[in-house]
Amino acid sequence: MPGIVGYAGQCGLANSGFRGRVGRPLRNSAAFLAKKAGVPMSVFYTLMARESGLMRPLTHRFGERIKQQNFEGGMPTVNARKDSVLILDLARELGVPLFTMQASHSVYEIAGAEGLDRQDYASISRLWEKWLDVEFGYEDE
């Protein structure tokens, strides 16, 4: 097991990897899709800056649902998959490449095949639990 320095380094790599290598292309894709669809960038920015924009996936989905392994209620995975299809269709229609969105959509397809359709879409974390043979719910450690 790594010591505190090892954990800090590993967290830094994971955080930097997501924010810079995944998060940035994802945000850019969303912004360009919005722009191409005629949404003013000031409106897009306002929506993303709200608590329900970029922070809710971290605070609610990860910090509450995944932490507590509570996937009842909420937004069903089947609805997240439907929204994903609508976004990908719009992007295709407007000619906007959404590389990271296509990868994300694949996870929703797999989740449906695994019977997670009726659970909150945070339940997709169960896929990684299965693939990696780990338990992802956690208490304050």
Side-chain angles (χ1 to χ4, degrees):
M1 283 213 117
I4 191 71
V5 173
Y7 282 129
Q10 291 168 356
C11 286
L13 287 173
N15 186 33
S16 175
F18 177 77
R19 284 185 306 122
R21 295 356 162 247
V22 176
R24 194 169 300 121
L26 186 59
R27 285 187 305 274
N28 287 349
S29 295
F32 282 108
L33 179 60
K35 183 71 172 178
K36 189 77 172 177
V39 175
M41 286 295 94
S42 60
V43 172
F44 177 80
Y45 176 81
T46 299
L47 291 171
M48 291 298 102
R50 292 170 41 187
E51 191 279 331
S52 61
L54 294 175
M55 288 304 295
R56 187 159 171 84
L58 175 65
T59 59
H60 178 64
R61 291 288 170 333
F62 188 82
E64 295 172 17
R65 289 197 174 272
I66 293 172
K67 176 181 180 179
Q68 299 165 6
Q69 295 289 284
N70 176 11
F71 305 119
E72 298 305 315
M75 181 176 182
T77 301
V78 68
N79 289 2
R81 185 169 62 248
K82 173 196 57 86
D83 288 353
S84 179
V85 167
L86 293 173
I87 293 165
L88 289 169
D89 286 349
L90 177 62
R92 208 170 289 115
E93 179 182 317
L94 297 176
V96 178
L98 297 181
F99 306 110
T100 53
M101 186 71 187
Q102 186 61 53
S104 298
H105 181 75
S106 298
V107 174
Y108 293 132
E109 293 288 343
I110 295 167
E114 292 287 325
L116 301 176
D117 271 348
R118 298 285 168 229
Q119 295 184 346
D120 182 87
Y121 73 97
S123 67
I124 64 172
S125 64
R126 290 185 168 167
L127 297 173
W128 278 269
E129 288 180 332
K130 179 180 175 181
W131 296 331
L132 301 175
D133 193 28
V134 298
E135 291 184 19
F136 209 60
Y138 64 98
E139 296 298 321
D140 290 337
E141 299 167 316

